[in-house]
Amino acid sequence: MGHNIAVYGASGTTGQFVLAELEKRGHNPLPFGRAQATADDPAALDRALEGAAAVTNTAGPFAVTAGPLIAAAERAGIPYVDVAAEIEANADTFARGASIPVVPAMAFFGGLADLLVTAAMADWDSADEAHIAYGLSGWQPTAGTLTAGQVSRERRDGRRVRFRDGALTYHGDTAPVLDWEFPTGTRQVIGEFSMADVVTLPSHLRISSVTDYMSTEAATGLQAAQARQEPETFEVDVRVRRAGEERRLTASGKDIYAVSAPLAVEAAERLLSGRFKTTGVASAGAMFDAPDFLAALSDVIQTKDCS
């Protein structure tokens, strides 16, 4: 039986993919955006959520929208999912807490790596290092991605973020460039290209160091900011290390924005069907059974154990 699921930012690129995914799965999307309810209008947000069983927030910058929409979801007593890639906005959400199930960063950047690392760790209760390499053939950022990225850069004064020894630190030095051996071959990547993973993973896993890497093709595309054309392909290569032992999982597919939709909608479905582990704010791997979640998306994300 389908559910009424509200989608904030429904007119954007990711919002449109989420609407299509909801309809494909037999749900009734309730689309709305800033024209109907701005983030600073609680009464309008409440009206927009009337009759909704859950809400998915695809409207960045999430530094502006996440807090108010979570508050509205709390008033409505419904679960909340967003697709935030903003490091600082996700940190704010975890610090805020919630009285309802809240899953931030439930998208290609954030949720996917969190599921992969959680699945790779399996019976390990801790790890020394987690390395997540994004092998994208390119990156054609949406207007929302560019705006959200600018907000994050301003919040950190243009500095880079690292997660080391259990804490986020900020640096102004130049990021390293190195070669990464992906399953399909060697790609040049930019090291310490921190994404939401530096917030989501440490929120529930005991890992001393989390490092992201981004293919230079993607980093160049992000800076060029060209209109979206042919969707990019991706490989996400996750390596978790402890005391000299390494576990490795990889995921591959096409179109990072389109893939965010099944990730977010699968999360909403599981929250509405009781297939989740906790309430309050929790990342994908903490909220859901990671291997089972990945298996459910095998038609769009192919996962392989490369240990």
Side-chain angles (χ1 to χ4, degrees), residues 3-27:
H3 295 280
N4 294 334
I5 299 180
V7 181
Y8 192 43
S11 63
T13 300
T14 304
Q16 289 292 300
F17 281 126
V18 169
L19 292 180
E21 185 70 20
L22 287 169
E23 291 174 350
K24 173 185 171 185
R25 294 184 181 217
H27 299 293

Side-chain angles (χ1 to χ4, degrees), residues 68 132 190 251:
I132 303 102
I190 298 175

Side-chain angles (χ1 to χ4, degrees), residues 11-287:
S11 63
T13 300
T14 304
Q16 289 292 300
F17 281 126
V18 169
L19 292 180
E21 185 70 20
L22 287 169
E23 291 174 350
K24 173 185 171 185
R25 294 184 181 217
H27 299 293
N28 179 34
L30 305 177
F32 70 111
R34 293 177 178 86
Q36 295 83 19
T38 56
D40 59 356
D41 189 341
L45 291 174
D46 290 346
R47 288 193 296 272
L49 296 186
E50 288 179 2
V55 58
T56 300
N57 181 8
T58 67
F62 294 90
V64 174
T65 66
L69 202 53
I70 292 171
E74 286 181 313
R75 293 191 295 273
I78 61 176
Y80 166 98
V81 174
D82 73 34
V83 296
E86 299 161 49
I87 294 171
E88 293 76 19
N90 284 308
D92 289 345
T93 296
F94 279 102
R96 179 194 186 282
S99 60
I100 54 171
V102 167
V103 189
M106 194 64 246
F108 176 81
F109 290 119
L112 178 55
D114 196 84
L115 292 166
L116 290 168
V117 171
T118 303
M121 286 188 62
D123 58 332
W124 285 2
D125 61 0
S126 65
D128 300 323
E129 307 168 2
H131 299 267
I132 303 102
Y134 291 95
L136 277 59
S137 63
W139 192 346
Q140 304 162 70
T142 64
T145 295
L146 295 173
T147 300
Q150 181 60 33
V151 169
S152 279
R153 284 191 295 273
E154 290 173 356
R155 288 187 65 175
R156 67 176 82 116
D157 296 324
R159 295 173 295 170
R160 296 190 303 107
V161 188
R162 293 176 186 152
F163 182 83
R164 296 288 185 277
D165 300 321
L168 292 176
T169 58
Y170 296 83
H171 305 269
D173 56 347
T174 302
V177 177
L178 60 149
D179 289 335
W180 187 276
E181 295 295 332
F182 287 92
T184 59
T186 304
R187 288 182 186 265
Q188 188 179 72
V189 298
I190 298 175
E192 298 182 354
F193 196 101
S194 295
M195 304 299 291
D197 313 322
V198 298
V199 174
T200 58
L201 289 169
S203 73
H204 70 108
L205 297 173
R206 293 173 53 205
I207 303 177
S208 300
S209 168
V210 177
T211 308
D212 286 318
Y213 308 80
M214 184 65 66
S215 60
T216 54
E217 302 101 315
T220 301
L222 183 61
Q223 294 166 0
Q226 297 177 347
R228 282 176 57 76
Q229 298 173 355
E230 182 69 19
E232 62 285 307
T233 59
F234 65 81
E235 295 177 273
V236 182
D237 190 21
V238 161
R239 305 185 188 193
V240 185
R241 296 168 182 160
R242 184 179 75 169
E245 184 179 354
E246 179 178 277
R247 292 180 174 178
R248 183 182 180 191
L249 277 181
T250 64
S252 60
K254 182 173 71 173
D255 198 333
I256 63 176
Y257 291 100
V259 160
S260 290
L263 282 161
V265 173
E266 181 73 20
E269 281 190 343
R270 288 175 181 245
L271 291 173
L272 291 172
S273 60
R275 291 175 293 159
F276 62 97
K277 298 179 181 179
T278 185
T279 193
V281 181
S283 69
M287 186 67 81

